[in-house]
Amino acid sequence: MNWIKTFSLLVVSFLVFACSDDPTPDVTTLHGKWENREYQSGWDIDWVETYHFEPNGSFQHSLIAKEPGSDVELGYTTYRYGNFHIQNQALQLTDLVLFISLSDIQEGWYSPKEELVKTDFGVNTQSINFTLQNNNTELVLEECPTFECEEITYKVFLRVQ
């Protein structure tokens, strides 16, 4: 009878540990290029937001206007870079350097990358809650569209590289 209890305990322990997820994904699961593409009918362009996470802990983030359904770049609205790590289920972006387009809305809010202007926007770090889904092929970022965070939205980035 004692062996039944021992066996049952082993089975339950195995199931608990085999089915439990590590609450913090390994940082290497983020390595690569992630993309979110949204068609903007008013301007007939695709806004393509990209994160590229490097194995050395650095990243690049850009928002690029592209011809619909293609990779032909029309221009950038923002480009930034810095370092990243994971802490408490959040993506920590540090040492941020931001470049922005000074084009106005009539020009489409975008310009060539070499014409972006470096800005001191006073924010050196950013913390973004995230999850990985579908066998680590989707990166879901939690966004706060207003300063008060009255409504949280989620943006899905697909692994493209």
Side-chain angles (χ1 to χ4, degrees):
M1 196 67 164
N2 198 14
W3 69 273
I4 294 176
K5 287 181 183 179
T6 304
F7 180 73
S8 298
L9 183 60
L10 284 172
V11 169
V12 169
S13 297
F14 174 77
L15 291 175
V16 167
F17 290 111
C19 296
S20 67
D21 291 330
D22 183 357
T24 304
D26 186 286
V27 72
T28 60
T29 58
L30 291 177
H31 293 169
K33 188 174 180 182
W34 302 83
E35 181 178 280
N36 174 283
R37 181 182 288 255
E38 295 180 13
Y39 177 70
Q40 302 295 316
S41 60
W43 290 324
D44 190 33
I45 60 171
D46 283 347
W47 281 123
V48 180
E49 186 174 1
T50 304
Y51 280 93
H52 194 160
F53 298 104
E54 302 285 352
N56 67 0
S58 67
F59 81 97
Q60 300 89 45
H61 172 245
S62 59
L63 185 56
I64 306 170
K66 293 187 177 183
E67 288 185 4
S70 79
D71 283 330
V72 176
E73 293 181 3
L74 301 173
Y76 285 68
T77 59
T78 61
Y79 173 79
R80 67 181 176 159
Y81 63 86
N83 296 309
F84 77 99
H85 65 278
I86 297 172
Q87 180 178 345
N88 300 329
Q89 282 298 109
L91 180 59
Q92 304 294 323
L93 306 178
T94 61
D95 305 317
L96 299 175
V97 178
L98 175 67
F99 296 83
I100 61 171
S101 171
L102 296 180
S103 296
D104 61 25
I105 192 167
Q106 287 80 21
E107 296 171 351
W109 283 347
Y110 53 84
S111 57
K113 187 175 183 182
E114 54 276 355
E115 292 180 16
L116 295 176
V117 176
K118 184 177 178 181
T119 176
D120 180 18
F121 61 111
V123 177
N124 193 32
T125 63
Q126 183 181 12
S127 179
I128 306 170
N129 292 331
F130 77 98
T131 57
L132 288 166
Q133 298 178 352
N134 293 332
N135 295 321
N136 298 332
T137 61
E138 294 179 356
L139 172 65
V140 182
L141 299 182
E142 185 177 290
E143 294 192 335
C144 176
T146 63
F147 289 110
E148 295 84 27
C149 267
E150 294 171 0
E151 180 182 332
I152 294 175
T153 59
Y154 298 92
K155 189 175 281 187
V156 178
F157 290 79
L158 302 177
R159 184 185 296 275
V160 293
Q161 198 179 48

PDB file of all heavy atoms in Angstrom, residues 112-145:
ATOM      1  N   PRO A 112      13.144  60.040 -45.062  1.00  0.00           N
ATOM      2  CA  PRO A 112      14.220  59.046 -45.161  1.00  0.00           C
ATOM      3  C   PRO A 112      14.942  58.910 -43.818  1.00  0.00           C
ATOM      4  O   PRO A 112      15.052  59.874 -43.054  1.00  0.00           O
ATOM      5  CB  PRO A 112      15.151  59.632 -46.227  1.00  0.00           C
ATOM      6  CG  PRO A 112      14.284  60.550 -47.029  1.00  0.00           C
ATOM      7  CD  PRO A 112      13.284  61.103 -46.070  1.00  0.00           C
ATOM      8  N   LYS A 113      15.454  57.736 -43.540  1.00  0.00           N
ATOM      9  CA  LYS A 113      16.104  57.468 -42.258  1.00  0.00           C
ATOM     10  C   LYS A 113      17.241  58.450 -41.975  1.00  0.00           C
ATOM     11  O   LYS A 113      17.407  58.904 -40.843  1.00  0.00           O
ATOM     12  CB  LYS A 113      16.612  56.030 -42.215  1.00  0.00           C
ATOM     13  CG  LYS A 113      17.152  55.607 -40.864  1.00  0.00           C
ATOM     14  CD  LYS A 113      17.542  54.138 -40.843  1.00  0.00           C
ATOM     15  CE  LYS A 113      18.020  53.701 -39.478  1.00  0.00           C
ATOM     16  NZ  LYS A 113      18.430  52.293 -39.480  1.00  0.00           N
ATOM     17  N   GLU A 114      18.012  58.791 -43.002  1.00  0.00           N
ATOM     18  CA  GLU A 114      19.139  59.701 -42.796  1.00  0.00           C
ATOM     19  C   GLU A 114      18.699  61.133 -42.463  1.00  0.00           C
ATOM     20  O   GLU A 114      19.500  61.941 -41.998  1.00  0.00           O
ATOM     21  CB  GLU A 114      20.100  59.690 -43.990  1.00  0.00           C
ATOM     22  CG  GLU A 114      19.469  59.970 -45.327  1.00  0.00           C
ATOM     23  CD  GLU A 114      18.838  58.735 -45.988  1.00  0.00           C
ATOM     24  OE1 GLU A 114      18.955  57.613 -45.466  1.00  0.00           O
ATOM     25  OE2 GLU A 114      18.217  58.916 -47.032  1.00  0.00           O
ATOM     26  N   GLU A 115      17.413  61.453 -42.650  1.00  0.00           N
ATOM     27  CA  GLU A 115      16.912  62.785 -42.306  1.00  0.00           C
ATOM     28  C   GLU A 115      16.237  62.830 -40.934  1.00  0.00           C
ATOM     29  O   GLU A 115      15.774  63.891 -40.510  1.00  0.00           O
ATOM     30  CB  GLU A 115      15.934  63.268 -43.380  1.00  0.00           C
ATOM     31  CG  GLU A 115      16.591  63.551 -44.707  1.00  0.00           C
ATOM     32  CD  GLU A 115      15.609  64.027 -45.766  1.00  0.00           C
ATOM     33  OE1 GLU A 115      14.472  64.424 -45.424  1.00  0.00           O
ATOM     34  OE2 GLU A 115      15.987  63.989 -46.957  1.00  0.00           O
ATOM     35  N   LEU A 116      16.157  61.698 -40.250  1.00  0.00           N
ATOM     36  CA  LEU A 116      15.578  61.697 -38.902  1.00  0.00           C
ATOM     37  C   LEU A 116      16.463  62.524 -37.979  1.00  0.00           C
ATOM     38  O   LEU A 116      17.675  62.601 -38.152  1.00  0.00           O
ATOM     39  CB  LEU A 116      15.453  60.275 -38.371  1.00  0.00           C
ATOM     40  CG  LEU A 116      14.495  59.351 -39.115  1.00  0.00           C
ATOM     41  CD1 LEU A 116      14.553  57.943 -38.518  1.00  0.00           C
ATOM     42  CD2 LEU A 116      13.084  59.878 -39.097  1.00  0.00           C
ATOM     43  N   VAL A 117      15.833  63.128 -36.971  1.00  0.00           N
ATOM     44  CA  VAL A 117      16.533  64.017 -36.057  1.00  0.00           C
ATOM     45  C   VAL A 117      16.589  63.373 -34.679  1.00  0.00           C
ATOM     46  O   VAL A 117      15.563  62.940 -34.139  1.00  0.00           O
ATOM     47  CB  VAL A 117      15.807  65.381 -35.975  1.00  0.00           C
ATOM     48  CG1 VAL A 117      16.470  66.294 -34.959  1.00  0.00           C
ATOM     49  CG2 VAL A 117      15.749  66.027 -37.347  1.00  0.00           C
ATOM     50  N   LYS A 118      17.806  63.328 -34.111  1.00  0.00           N
ATOM     51  CA  LYS A 118      17.974  62.790 -32.764  1.00  0.00           C
ATOM     52  C   LYS A 118      17.309  63.742 -31.779  1.00  0.00           C
ATOM     53  O   LYS A 118      17.443  64.957 -31.881  1.00  0.00           O
ATOM     54  CB  LYS A 118      19.455  62.625 -32.428  1.00  0.00           C
ATOM     55  CG  LYS A 118      19.698  61.975 -31.090  1.00  0.00           C
ATOM     56  CD  LYS A 118      21.184  61.782 -30.845  1.00  0.00           C
ATOM     57  CE  LYS A 118      21.428  61.175 -29.488  1.00  0.00           C
ATOM     58  NZ  LYS A 118      22.868  61.011 -29.236  1.00  0.00           N
ATOM     59  N   THR A 119      16.580  63.164 -30.839  1.00  0.00           N
ATOM     60  CA  THR A 119      15.859  63.985 -29.874  1.00  0.00           C
ATOM     61  C   THR A 119      16.152  63.530 -28.457  1.00  0.00           C
ATOM     62  O   THR A 119      16.407  62.350 -28.219  1.00  0.00           O
ATOM     63  CB  THR A 119      14.338  63.938 -30.137  1.00  0.00           C
ATOM     64  OG1 THR A 119      13.665  64.675 -29.133  1.00  0.00           O
ATOM     65  CG2 THR A 119      13.810  62.542 -30.141  1.00  0.00           C
ATOM     66  N   ASP A 120      16.118  64.461 -27.545  1.00  0.00           N
ATOM     67  CA  ASP A 120      16.251  64.138 -26.128  1.00  0.00           C
ATOM     68  C   ASP A 120      14.847  64.212 -25.549  1.00  0.00           C
ATOM     69  O   ASP A 120      14.374  65.279 -25.189  1.00  0.00           O
ATOM     70  CB  ASP A 120      17.177  65.124 -25.424  1.00  0.00           C
ATOM     71  CG  ASP A 120      17.323  64.808 -23.949  1.00  0.00           C
ATOM     72  OD1 ASP A 120      17.007  63.667 -23.546  1.00  0.00           O
ATOM     73  OD2 ASP A 120      17.734  65.706 -23.201  1.00  0.00           O
ATOM     74  N   PHE A 121      14.185  63.080 -25.495  1.00  0.00           N
ATOM     75  CA  PHE A 121      12.800  63.062 -25.062  1.00  0.00           C
ATOM     76  C   PHE A 121      12.658  62.793 -23.582  1.00  0.00           C
ATOM     77  O   PHE A 121      11.549  62.644 -23.069  1.00  0.00           O
ATOM     78  CB  PHE A 121      11.979  62.063 -25.888  1.00  0.00           C
ATOM     79  CG  PHE A 121      12.446  60.630 -25.792  1.00  0.00           C
ATOM     80  CD1 PHE A 121      11.689  59.685 -25.153  1.00  0.00           C
ATOM     81  CD2 PHE A 121      13.647  60.240 -26.365  1.00  0.00           C
ATOM     82  CE1 PHE A 121      12.109  58.367 -25.075  1.00  0.00           C
ATOM     83  CE2 PHE A 121      14.076  58.930 -26.282  1.00  0.00           C
ATOM     84  CZ  PHE A 121      13.305  57.994 -25.638  1.00  0.00           C
ATOM     85  N   GLY A 122      13.778  62.753 -22.854  1.00  0.00           N
ATOM     86  CA  GLY A 122      13.739  62.654 -21.405  1.00  0.00           C
ATOM     87  C   GLY A 122      13.407  61.292 -20.832  1.00  0.00           C
ATOM     88  O   GLY A 122      13.352  61.125 -19.632  1.00  0.00           O
ATOM     89  N   VAL A 123      13.179  60.294 -21.674  1.00  0.00           N
ATOM     90  CA  VAL A 123      12.870  58.952 -21.189  1.00  0.00           C
ATOM     91  C   VAL A 123      14.027  58.041 -21.571  1.00  0.00           C
ATOM     92  O   VAL A 123      14.293  57.842 -22.751  1.00  0.00           O
ATOM     93  CB  VAL A 123      11.547  58.426 -21.792  1.00  0.00           C
ATOM     94  CG1 VAL A 123      11.271  57.013 -21.333  1.00  0.00           C
ATOM     95  CG2 VAL A 123      10.399  59.347 -21.424  1.00  0.00           C
ATOM     96  N   ASN A 124      14.711  57.515 -20.572  1.00  0.00           N
ATOM     97  CA  ASN A 124      15.863  56.658 -20.827  1.00  0.00           C
ATOM     98  C   ASN A 124      15.520  55.179 -20.736  1.00  0.00           C
ATOM     99  O   ASN A 124      16.261  54.338 -21.209  1.00  0.00           O
ATOM    100  CB  ASN A 124      16.989  57.000 -19.855  1.00  0.00           C
ATOM    101  CG  ASN A 124      18.297  56.372 -20.266  1.00  0.00           C
ATOM    102  OD1 ASN A 124      18.564  56.192 -21.441  1.00  0.00           O
ATOM    103  ND2 ASN A 124      19.109  56.024 -19.293  1.00  0.00           N
ATOM    104  N   THR A 125      14.386  54.861 -20.102  1.00  0.00           N
ATOM    105  CA  THR A 125      13.974  53.465 -19.949  1.00  0.00           C
ATOM    106  C   THR A 125      12.481  53.330 -20.223  1.00  0.00           C
ATOM    107  O   THR A 125      11.725  54.287 -20.101  1.00  0.00           O
ATOM    108  CB  THR A 125      14.258  52.935 -18.528  1.00  0.00           C
ATOM    109  OG1 THR A 125      13.491  53.677 -17.598  1.00  0.00           O
ATOM    110  CG2 THR A 125      15.725  53.029 -18.185  1.00  0.00           C
ATOM    111  N   GLN A 126      12.084  52.125 -20.577  1.00  0.00           N
ATOM    112  CA  GLN A 126      10.678  51.812 -20.797  1.00  0.00           C
ATOM    113  C   GLN A 126      10.453  50.367 -20.395  1.00  0.00           C
ATOM    114  O   GLN A 126      11.285  49.507 -20.659  1.00  0.00           O
ATOM    115  CB  GLN A 126      10.307  52.011 -22.271  1.00  0.00           C
ATOM    116  CG  GLN A 126       8.852  51.768 -22.569  1.00  0.00           C
ATOM    117  CD  GLN A 126       8.524  51.952 -24.048  1.00  0.00           C
ATOM    118  OE1 GLN A 126       9.396  52.044 -24.903  1.00  0.00           O
ATOM    119  NE2 GLN A 126       7.252  51.987 -24.344  1.00  0.00           N
ATOM    120  N   SER A 127       9.323  50.118 -19.756  1.00  0.00           N
ATOM    121  CA  SER A 127       8.949  48.767 -19.356  1.00  0.00           C
ATOM    122  C   SER A 127       7.647  48.404 -20.067  1.00  0.00           C
ATOM    123  O   SER A 127       6.673  49.148 -19.993  1.00  0.00           O
ATOM    124  CB  SER A 127       8.755  48.711 -17.837  1.00  0.00           C
ATOM    125  OG  SER A 127       8.376  47.421 -17.446  1.00  0.00           O
ATOM    126  N   ILE A 128       7.648  47.264 -20.768  1.00  0.00           N
ATOM    127  CA  ILE A 128       6.478  46.837 -21.539  1.00  0.00           C
ATOM    128  C   ILE A 128       6.129  45.405 -21.138  1.00  0.00           C
ATOM    129  O   ILE A 128       6.956  44.496 -21.304  1.00  0.00           O
ATOM    130  CB  ILE A 128       6.749  46.876 -23.058  1.00  0.00           C
ATOM    131  CG1 ILE A 128       7.255  48.246 -23.497  1.00  0.00           C
ATOM    132  CG2 ILE A 128       5.500  46.485 -23.833  1.00  0.00           C
ATOM    133  CD1 ILE A 128       7.759  48.278 -24.925  1.00  0.00           C
ATOM    134  N   ASN A 129       4.925  45.185 -20.632  1.00  0.00           N
ATOM    135  CA  ASN A 129       4.477  43.828 -20.354  1.00  0.00           C
ATOM    136  C   ASN A 129       4.288  43.094 -21.669  1.00  0.00           C
ATOM    137  O   ASN A 129       3.828  43.678 -22.655  1.00  0.00           O
ATOM    138  CB  ASN A 129       3.167  43.832 -19.565  1.00  0.00           C
ATOM    139  CG  ASN A 129       3.350  44.360 -18.159  1.00  0.00           C
ATOM    140  OD1 ASN A 129       4.420  44.234 -17.568  1.00  0.00           O
ATOM    141  ND2 ASN A 129       2.320  44.964 -17.616  1.00  0.00           N
ATOM    142  N   PHE A 130       4.633  41.814 -21.676  1.00  0.00           N
ATOM    143  CA  PHE A 130       4.535  41.058 -22.921  1.00  0.00           C
ATOM    144  C   PHE A 130       4.247  39.592 -22.644  1.00  0.00           C
ATOM    145  O   PHE A 130       4.422  39.096 -21.532  1.00  0.00           O
ATOM    146  CB  PHE A 130       5.834  41.183 -23.735  1.00  0.00           C
ATOM    147  CG  PHE A 130       6.955  40.326 -23.206  1.00  0.00           C
ATOM    148  CD1 PHE A 130       7.227  39.099 -23.770  1.00  0.00           C
ATOM    149  CD2 PHE A 130       7.720  40.749 -22.135  1.00  0.00           C
ATOM    150  CE1 PHE A 130       8.251  38.306 -23.288  1.00  0.00           C
ATOM    151  CE2 PHE A 130       8.757  39.969 -21.656  1.00  0.00           C
ATOM    152  CZ  PHE A 130       9.014  38.739 -22.230  1.00  0.00           C
ATOM    153  N   THR A 131       3.792  38.909 -23.691  1.00  0.00           N
ATOM    154  CA  THR A 131       3.665  37.460 -23.678  1.00  0.00           C
ATOM    155  C   THR A 131       4.150  36.944 -25.031  1.00  0.00           C
ATOM    156  O   THR A 131       4.125  37.665 -26.028  1.00  0.00           O
ATOM    157  CB  THR A 131       2.211  36.979 -23.451  1.00  0.00           C
ATOM    158  OG1 THR A 131       1.372  37.537 -24.467  1.00  0.00           O
ATOM    159  CG2 THR A 131       1.694  37.382 -22.083  1.00  0.00           C
ATOM    160  N   LEU A 132       4.585  35.706 -25.034  1.00  0.00           N
ATOM    161  CA  LEU A 132       4.912  35.015 -26.271  1.00  0.00           C
ATOM    162  C   LEU A 132       3.850  33.953 -26.488  1.00  0.00           C
ATOM    163  O   LEU A 132       3.469  33.258 -25.548  1.00  0.00           O
ATOM    164  CB  LEU A 132       6.297  34.374 -26.179  1.00  0.00           C
ATOM    165  CG  LEU A 132       7.451  35.349 -26.215  1.00  0.00           C
ATOM    166  CD1 LEU A 132       8.742  34.678 -25.788  1.00  0.00           C
ATOM    167  CD2 LEU A 132       7.606  35.952 -27.596  1.00  0.00           C
ATOM    168  N   GLN A 133       3.360  33.836 -27.730  1.00  0.00           N
ATOM    169  CA  GLN A 133       2.291  32.891 -28.032  1.00  0.00           C
ATOM    170  C   GLN A 133       2.623  32.101 -29.286  1.00  0.00           C
ATOM    171  O   GLN A 133       3.539  32.442 -30.028  1.00  0.00           O
ATOM    172  CB  GLN A 133       0.955  33.642 -28.209  1.00  0.00           C
ATOM    173  CG  GLN A 133       0.519  34.375 -26.969  1.00  0.00           C
ATOM    174  CD  GLN A 133      -0.781  35.152 -27.174  1.00  0.00           C
ATOM    175  OE1 GLN A 133      -1.300  35.269 -28.270  1.00  0.00           O
ATOM    176  NE2 GLN A 133      -1.305  35.674 -26.083  1.00  0.00           N
ATOM    177  N   ASN A 134       1.820  31.076 -29.526  1.00  0.00           N
ATOM    178  CA  ASN A 134       1.934  30.239 -30.727  1.00  0.00           C
ATOM    179  C   ASN A 134       3.370  29.779 -30.979  1.00  0.00           C
ATOM    180  O   ASN A 134       3.972  30.082 -32.007  1.00  0.00           O
ATOM    181  CB  ASN A 134       1.374  30.949 -31.958  1.00  0.00           C
ATOM    182  CG  ASN A 134      -0.111  31.130 -31.866  1.00  0.00           C
ATOM    183  OD1 ASN A 134      -0.807  30.359 -31.219  1.00  0.00           O
ATOM    184  ND2 ASN A 134      -0.617  32.171 -32.503  1.00  0.00           N
ATOM    185  N   ASN A 135       3.899  29.031 -30.000  1.00  0.00           N
ATOM    186  CA  ASN A 135       5.250  28.474 -30.101  1.00  0.00           C
ATOM    187  C   ASN A 135       6.307  29.546 -30.350  1.00  0.00           C
ATOM    188  O   ASN A 135       7.201  29.382 -31.186  1.00  0.00           O
ATOM    189  CB  ASN A 135       5.327  27.392 -31.177  1.00  0.00           C
ATOM    190  CG  ASN A 135       4.494  26.193 -30.826  1.00  0.00           C
ATOM    191  OD1 ASN A 135       4.438  25.793 -29.663  1.00  0.00           O
ATOM    192  ND2 ASN A 135       3.836  25.621 -31.816  1.00  0.00           N
ATOM    193  N   ASN A 136       6.169  30.663 -29.653  1.00  0.00           N
ATOM    194  CA  ASN A 136       7.116  31.782 -29.724  1.00  0.00           C
ATOM    195  C   ASN A 136       7.206  32.422 -31.109  1.00  0.00           C
ATOM    196  O   ASN A 136       8.241  32.967 -31.482  1.00  0.00           O
ATOM    197  CB  ASN A 136       8.508  31.352 -29.255  1.00  0.00           C
ATOM    198  CG  ASN A 136       8.515  30.912 -27.819  1.00  0.00           C
ATOM    199  OD1 ASN A 136       7.693  31.366 -27.015  1.00  0.00           O
ATOM    200  ND2 ASN A 136       9.431  30.031 -27.469  1.00  0.00           N
ATOM    201  N   THR A 137       6.112  32.390 -31.867  1.00  0.00           N
ATOM    202  CA  THR A 137       6.087  33.057 -33.166  1.00  0.00           C
ATOM    203  C   THR A 137       5.335  34.376 -33.117  1.00  0.00           C
ATOM    204  O   THR A 137       5.352  35.128 -34.087  1.00  0.00           O
ATOM    205  CB  THR A 137       5.442  32.167 -34.242  1.00  0.00           C
ATOM    206  OG1 THR A 137       4.083  31.890 -33.871  1.00  0.00           O
ATOM    207  CG2 THR A 137       6.223  30.878 -34.427  1.00  0.00           C
ATOM    208  N   GLU A 138       4.673  34.653 -31.995  1.00  0.00           N
ATOM    209  CA  GLU A 138       3.951  35.910 -31.810  1.00  0.00           C
ATOM    210  C   GLU A 138       4.386  36.567 -30.508  1.00  0.00           C
ATOM    211  O   GLU A 138       4.379  35.934 -29.456  1.00  0.00           O
ATOM    212  CB  GLU A 138       2.437  35.681 -31.773  1.00  0.00           C
ATOM    213  CG  GLU A 138       1.866  35.189 -33.062  1.00  0.00           C
ATOM    214  CD  GLU A 138       0.363  34.959 -32.989  1.00  0.00           C
ATOM    215  OE1 GLU A 138      -0.239  35.111 -31.898  1.00  0.00           O
ATOM    216  OE2 GLU A 138      -0.205  34.628 -34.035  1.00  0.00           O
ATOM    217  N   LEU A 139       4.753  37.820 -30.601  1.00  0.00           N
ATOM    218  CA  LEU A 139       5.124  38.631 -29.456  1.00  0.00           C
ATOM    219  C   LEU A 139       3.989  39.624 -29.232  1.00  0.00           C
ATOM    220  O   LEU A 139       3.706  40.444 -30.105  1.00  0.00           O
ATOM    221  CB  LEU A 139       6.436  39.366 -29.726  1.00  0.00           C
ATOM    222  CG  LEU A 139       6.881  40.412 -28.719  1.00  0.00           C
ATOM    223  CD1 LEU A 139       7.185  39.761 -27.362  1.00  0.00           C
ATOM    224  CD2 LEU A 139       8.106  41.166 -29.237  1.00  0.00           C
ATOM    225  N   VAL A 140       3.309  39.515 -28.097  1.00  0.00           N
ATOM    226  CA  VAL A 140       2.179  40.391 -27.799  1.00  0.00           C
ATOM    227  C   VAL A 140       2.632  41.422 -26.770  1.00  0.00           C
ATOM    228  O   VAL A 140       3.013  41.067 -25.657  1.00  0.00           O
ATOM    229  CB  VAL A 140       0.969  39.590 -27.262  1.00  0.00           C
ATOM    230  CG1 VAL A 140      -0.202  40.515 -26.997  1.00  0.00           C
ATOM    231  CG2 VAL A 140       0.587  38.489 -28.243  1.00  0.00           C
ATOM    232  N   LEU A 141       2.602  42.698 -27.171  1.00  0.00           N
ATOM    233  CA  LEU A 141       3.016  43.781 -26.288  1.00  0.00           C
ATOM    234  C   LEU A 141       1.790  44.504 -25.757  1.00  0.00           C
ATOM    235  O   LEU A 141       0.862  44.806 -26.504  1.00  0.00           O
ATOM    236  CB  LEU A 141       3.909  44.772 -27.027  1.00  0.00           C
ATOM    237  CG  LEU A 141       5.209  44.227 -27.592  1.00  0.00           C
ATOM    238  CD1 LEU A 141       6.003  45.333 -28.257  1.00  0.00           C
ATOM    239  CD2 LEU A 141       6.041  43.570 -26.507  1.00  0.00           C
ATOM    240  N   GLU A 142       1.827  44.800 -24.477  1.00  0.00           N
ATOM    241  CA  GLU A 142       0.752  45.547 -23.832  1.00  0.00           C
ATOM    242  C   GLU A 142       1.071  47.031 -23.991  1.00  0.00           C
ATOM    243  O   GLU A 142       2.147  47.490 -23.625  1.00  0.00           O
ATOM    244  CB  GLU A 142       0.715  45.165 -22.356  1.00  0.00           C
ATOM    245  CG  GLU A 142      -0.417  45.756 -21.587  1.00  0.00           C
ATOM    246  CD  GLU A 142      -0.414  45.259 -20.151  1.00  0.00           C
ATOM    247  OE1 GLU A 142      -0.708  44.070 -19.930  1.00  0.00           O
ATOM    248  OE2 GLU A 142      -0.093  46.080 -19.274  1.00  0.00           O
ATOM    249  N   GLU A 143       0.126  47.769 -24.544  1.00  0.00           N
ATOM    250  CA  GLU A 143       0.360  49.184 -24.780  1.00  0.00           C
ATOM    251  C   GLU A 143      -0.621  50.034 -24.002  1.00  0.00           C
ATOM    252  O   GLU A 143      -1.765  49.645 -23.773  1.00  0.00           O
ATOM    253  CB  GLU A 143       0.231  49.511 -26.265  1.00  0.00           C
ATOM    254  CG  GLU A 143       1.301  48.867 -27.105  1.00  0.00           C
ATOM    255  CD  GLU A 143       1.322  49.424 -28.509  1.00  0.00           C
ATOM    256  OE1 GLU A 143       0.280  49.916 -28.977  1.00  0.00           O
ATOM    257  OE2 GLU A 143       2.389  49.353 -29.128  1.00  0.00           O
ATOM    258  N   CYS A 144      -0.169  51.198 -23.622  1.00  0.00           N
ATOM    259  CA  CYS A 144      -0.991  52.180 -22.934  1.00  0.00           C
ATOM    260  C   CYS A 144      -1.104  53.384 -23.860  1.00  0.00           C
ATOM    261  O   CYS A 144      -0.182  54.193 -23.928  1.00  0.00           O
ATOM    262  CB  CYS A 144      -0.336  52.562 -21.610  1.00  0.00           C
ATOM    263  SG  CYS A 144      -1.215  53.846 -20.727  1.00  0.00           S
ATOM    264  N   PRO A 145      -2.207  53.528 -24.591  1.00  0.00           N
ATOM    265  CA  PRO A 145      -2.297  54.591 -25.590  1.00  0.00           C
ATOM    266  C   PRO A 145      -2.431  55.997 -25.010  1.00  0.00           C
ATOM    267  O   PRO A 145      -2.196  56.972 -25.700  1.00  0.00           O
ATOM    268  CB  PRO A 145      -3.544  54.217 -26.401  1.00  0.00           C
ATOM    269  CG  PRO A 145      -4.326  53.337 -25.506  1.00  0.00           C
ATOM    270  CD  PRO A 145      -3.360  52.660 -24.589  1.00  0.00           C
TER     271      PRO A 145
END
